[in-house]
C-alpha cells in the first residue's frame, strides 16, 4: 500500500524544498481533540514541526514526526538541535523570528549535531537560514509577497495595528467590515488566493487534484472574513503572521517559540523521533498498538477515495484501542468511509465544538475519530 501512496502523492509533488516553514493548523484543536496524556505515544505529520513540539509540551511518552518530504524533516531536525544547544534568544534568531544574532554563525554551531541528511540539506540551503527560515517556505514566501506587494497598497497605514489592538469583538468586527473590506481588497484577495495563482506559486498543483471547489479565492476570503469578525485577533498569532509576517509578542506566539516553554523543551526533545517516509510504512513497521494518538494534518485531501479508505483502515487497525486521530479538511471534504464504522467512531460534537474556535482560518472542518 505504501507504493500506492508514493505513486499518488510523492511522485506528483516536488519534495526538494521546504513547502511549509510554519504550521497553519491550530494546536489548541489538537490538544482538545487528542487529549494527550503521559502514557500516549503520538504520531504526527511533521510539516514544520510546530505542532509536534506543541504536543511534546503536553509530555506524552513519545512523539514521532513523519513526513514524506525530507526538507520538512530536516527543518524539525534543525529546530531540535537548536533547542538543545542554543539559548532562547539565539534559537528565535536562527529561525528568523528575531534578528539579534548572526544566523550563519549559529548554524555552524549546531551543524555537527544534525543527522547527516539534515546537514547536507542545510549546507545546500544556507541562504534560507540567512534570510530567516520562518519566511522561506513556499507557502510563507507566497503569503509574504501578498503582505509586502499588495496589502500595504490596499490598507491605510496603521489599520493592521488597530485590528490587533485589544478591543471588544464587536468593535473589531466593525473595524474590519467598515475599513478593511473594500472592493479593491476583496478583489485582490480573491485573485491572489484563487486556485490558478495559488497552484502557480503558493501550493503544488497536485494539491488541487481532488478539489471540486469552483471559487477557491472566494472560499478563502469567506473564511478569512469569518476569523476577523468572530474570533479575537489580539491573541491570534496565525492571522497576525498572515497579515504582518511577524510574531510581535513571543508570549503569544506558537508554543515552541514562547520563552516560558524553552527550558521545558530542552528536557523533552529526547522523546521526539523524526522519520522521513510514508504513513502506512510507519504504521505497519511497528507492532499494533504502538501509537495511541495521531495528528494527520490535512493529508486525506491529497488522496483518491480508494487510498483514503486504505489509510483509514490502516489507522483503525494499527492504532491502540481507545486511541484518537485528528485531522482537518481544507478544500476537500473527507472523513472515514462508512464501511469502517466498526474501526473508527467520529466524535462529532467534540469536533464541531473545537472547530468553532479554530484560529487558523483556512480550514472548512476539523475531525476527531476514536479507535473502537
Amino acid at each position: 500500500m505504501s507504493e500506492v501512496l508514493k505513486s499518488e502523492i510523492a511522485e506528483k509533488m516536488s519534495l526538494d524544498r521546504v513547502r511549509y516553514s510554519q504550521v497553519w493548523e491550530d494546536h489548541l484543536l489538537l490538544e482538545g481533540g487528542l487529549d494527550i496524556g503521559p502514557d500516549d505515544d503520538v504520531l504526527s505529520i511533521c510539516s514544520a514541526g510546530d505542532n509536534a513540539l506543541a504536543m511534546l509540551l503536553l509530555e506524552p511518552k513519545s512523539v514521532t514526526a513523519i513526513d514524506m518530504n525530507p526538507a520538512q524533516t530536516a527543518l524539525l531536525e534543525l529546530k531540535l538541535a537548536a533547542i538543545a544547544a542554543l539559548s532562547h534568544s539565539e534559537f528565535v534568531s536562527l529561525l528568523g523570528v528575531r534578528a539579534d544574532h548572526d544566523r550563519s554563525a549559529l548554524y555552524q554551531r549546531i551543524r555537527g549535531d544534525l543527522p547527516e541528511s539534515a546537514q547536507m540539506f542545510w549546507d545546500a540551503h544556507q541562504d534560507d537560514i540567512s534570510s530567516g527560515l520562518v519566511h522561506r517556505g513556499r507557502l510563507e514566501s507566497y503569503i509574504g509577497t501578498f503582505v509586502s506587494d499588495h496589502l500595504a497598497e490596499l490598507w491605510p497605514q496603521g489599520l493592521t495595528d488597530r485590528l490587533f489592538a485589544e478591543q471588544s469583538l464587536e468593535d473589531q468586527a466593525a473595524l474590519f467590515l467598515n475599513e478593511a473590506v473594500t472592493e479593491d481588497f476583496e478583489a485582490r484577495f480573491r485573485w491572489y488566493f484563487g486556485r490558478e495563482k495559488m497552484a502557480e506559486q503558493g501550493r503544488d498543483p497536485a494539491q488541487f487534484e481532488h478539489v471540486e471547489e469552483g471559487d477557491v479565492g472566494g472560499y478563502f476570503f469567506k473564511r478569512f472574513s469569518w476569523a476577523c469578525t468572530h474570533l479575537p485577533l489580539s491573541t491570534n498569532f496565525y492571522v497576525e503572521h498572515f497579515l504582518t509576517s511577524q510574531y510581535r509578542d513571543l508570549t503569544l506566539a506558537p508554543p515552541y517559540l514562547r520563552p516560558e516553554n524553552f527550558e521545558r523543551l530542552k528536557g523533552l526533545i529526547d522523546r521526539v523521533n523524526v522519520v522521513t517516509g510514508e504513513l502506512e510504512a510507519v504504521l505497519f513497521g511497528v507492532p499494533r498498538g504502538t501509537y495511541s494518538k495521531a495528528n494527520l494534518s490535512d493529508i486525506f485531501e491529497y488522496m483518491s477515495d480508494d487510498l483514503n479508505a486504505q489509510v483509514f483502515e490502516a489507522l483503525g487497525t494499527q492504532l491502540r484501542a481507545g486511541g484518537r486521530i485528528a485531522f482537518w479538511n481544507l478544500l476537500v471534504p473527507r472523513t472515514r468511509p462508512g464501511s469502517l464504522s466498526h474501526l473508527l467512531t467520529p466524535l462529532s460534537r467534540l469536533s464541531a465544538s473545537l472547530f468553532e474556535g479554530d484560529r487558523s482560518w483556512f480550514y472548512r472542518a476539523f475531525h476527531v475519530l476514536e479507535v473502537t
Side-chain angles (χ1 to χ4, degrees):
M1 286 188 286
S2 62
E3 287 303 315
V4 176
L5 181 62
K6 184 180 292 185
S7 65
E8 278 213 350
I9 302 175
E11 292 180 0
K12 296 179 181 178
M13 294 172 60
S14 172
L15 301 180
D16 59 352
R17 66 169 290 185
V18 172
R19 308 185 63 80
Y20 306 104
S21 53
Q22 301 174 71
V23 173
W24 296 91
E25 294 151 5
D26 194 339
H27 69 95
L28 291 179
L29 274 65
L30 290 176
E31 293 169 18
L34 293 180
D35 189 27
I36 294 170
D39 295 326
D40 281 315
D41 293 285
V42 181
L43 181 63
S44 177
I45 298 300
C46 182
S47 186
D50 304 15
N51 281 350
L53 295 174
M55 292 186 291
L56 180 66
L57 286 164
L58 301 177
E59 302 191 17
K61 187 186 300 183
S62 70
V63 175
T64 298
I66 174 177
D67 211 292
M68 288 190 300
N69 186 351
Q72 299 297 153
T73 52
L75 178 56
L76 180 54
E77 295 279 16
L78 183 80
K79 290 180 177 180
L80 293 171
I83 290 168
L86 303 179
S87 68
H88 180 263
S89 175
E90 293 168 333
F91 176 65
V92 295
S93 293
L94 174 68
L95 296 183
V97 177
R98 294 291 185 264
D100 300 327
H101 301 273
D102 182 332
R103 295 181 188 128
S104 296
L106 291 173
Y107 171 64
Q108 292 303 319
R109 280 176 54 188
I110 67 168
R111 179 183 177 277
D113 299 327
L114 294 171
E116 183 178 358
S117 58
Q119 278 188 30
M120 293 176 62
F121 180 84
W122 293 116
D123 284 352
H125 293 84
Q126 291 191 52
D127 56 329
D128 287 341
I129 294 175
S130 300
S131 300
L133 281 172
V134 294
H135 310 294
R136 297 289 284 179
R138 176 171 173 162
L139 180 62
E140 289 73 23
S141 297
Y142 185 72
I143 293 172
T145 299
F146 177 75
V147 173
S148 61
D149 292 2
H150 300 282
L151 193 62
E153 171 190 324
L154 295 166
W155 282 2
Q157 187 174 6
L159 177 56
T160 303
D161 290 336
R162 291 165 58 205
L163 283 170
F164 287 99
E166 289 192 28
Q167 58 194 306
S168 70
L169 192 56
E170 293 77 10
D171 288 345
Q172 173 190 300
L175 177 61
F176 178 76
L177 293 173
N178 294 333
E179 299 189 37
V181 182
T182 64
E183 288 186 10
D184 287 344
F185 173 75
E186 180 174 351
R188 193 83 59 90
F189 192 104
R190 285 172 174 262
W191 164 74
Y192 195 84
F193 295 102
R195 180 173 184 151
E196 183 176 349
K197 181 84 171 161
M198 286 278 285
E200 178 186 348
Q201 297 179 15
R203 306 179 86 223
D204 197 287
Q207 292 175 294
F208 289 94
E209 181 174 352
H210 302 289
V211 174
E212 296 181 359
E213 173 71 54
D215 183 8
V216 171
Y219 162 78
F220 281 130
F221 180 76
K222 181 179 179 180
R223 290 295 302 160
F224 177 71
S225 298
W226 176 86
C228 292
T229 54
H230 288 76
L231 300 174
L233 291 179
S234 62
T235 55
N236 190 334
F237 62 78
Y238 297 102
V239 178
E240 177 190 37
H241 208 279
F242 179 81
L243 290 176
T244 69
S245 298
Q246 299 179 57
Y247 297 122
R248 290 176 288 187
D249 181 353
L250 290 184
T251 65
L252 299 175
Y256 82 100
L257 293 176
R258 297 175 190 173
E260 66 269 24
N261 290 335
F262 193 66
E263 291 303 317
R264 285 185 57 219
L265 282 173
K266 283 181 179 287
L268 293 169
I269 55 174
D270 61 350
R271 303 186 190 187
V272 180
N273 181 35
V274 183
V275 177
T276 303
E278 298 151 15
L279 179 61
E280 287 180 288
V282 171
L283 285 171
F284 288 106
V286 294
R288 180 179 298 181
T290 295
Y291 301 110
S292 57
K293 305 290 173 65
N295 158 38
L296 299 178
S297 181
D298 62 351
I299 64 168
F300 296 108
E301 62 179 71
Y302 311 127
M303 304 179 190
S304 66
D305 288 336
D306 288 344
L307 184 55
N308 260 278
Q310 291 178 24
V311 174
F312 275 117
E313 183 175 10
L315 290 161
T317 301
Q318 292 299 106
L319 259 62
R320 200 174 302 167
R324 291 182 180 183
I325 68 172
F327 61 95
W328 279 263
N329 291 161
L330 180 59
L331 294 169
V332 183
R334 298 284 199 198
T335 188
R336 69 105 173 94
S339 60
L340 299 179
S341 59
H342 62 294
L343 293 177
L344 295 166
T345 300
L347 303 182
S348 301
R349 289 186 179 180
L350 175 63
S351 302
S353 175
L354 289 168
F355 186 63
E356 287 179 1
D358 194 344
R359 297 170 298 167
S360 183
W361 50 272
F362 299 92
Y363 299 94
R364 71 168 66 234
F366 177 69
H367 298 277
V368 182
L369 307 180
E370 188 168 86
V371 182
T372 54

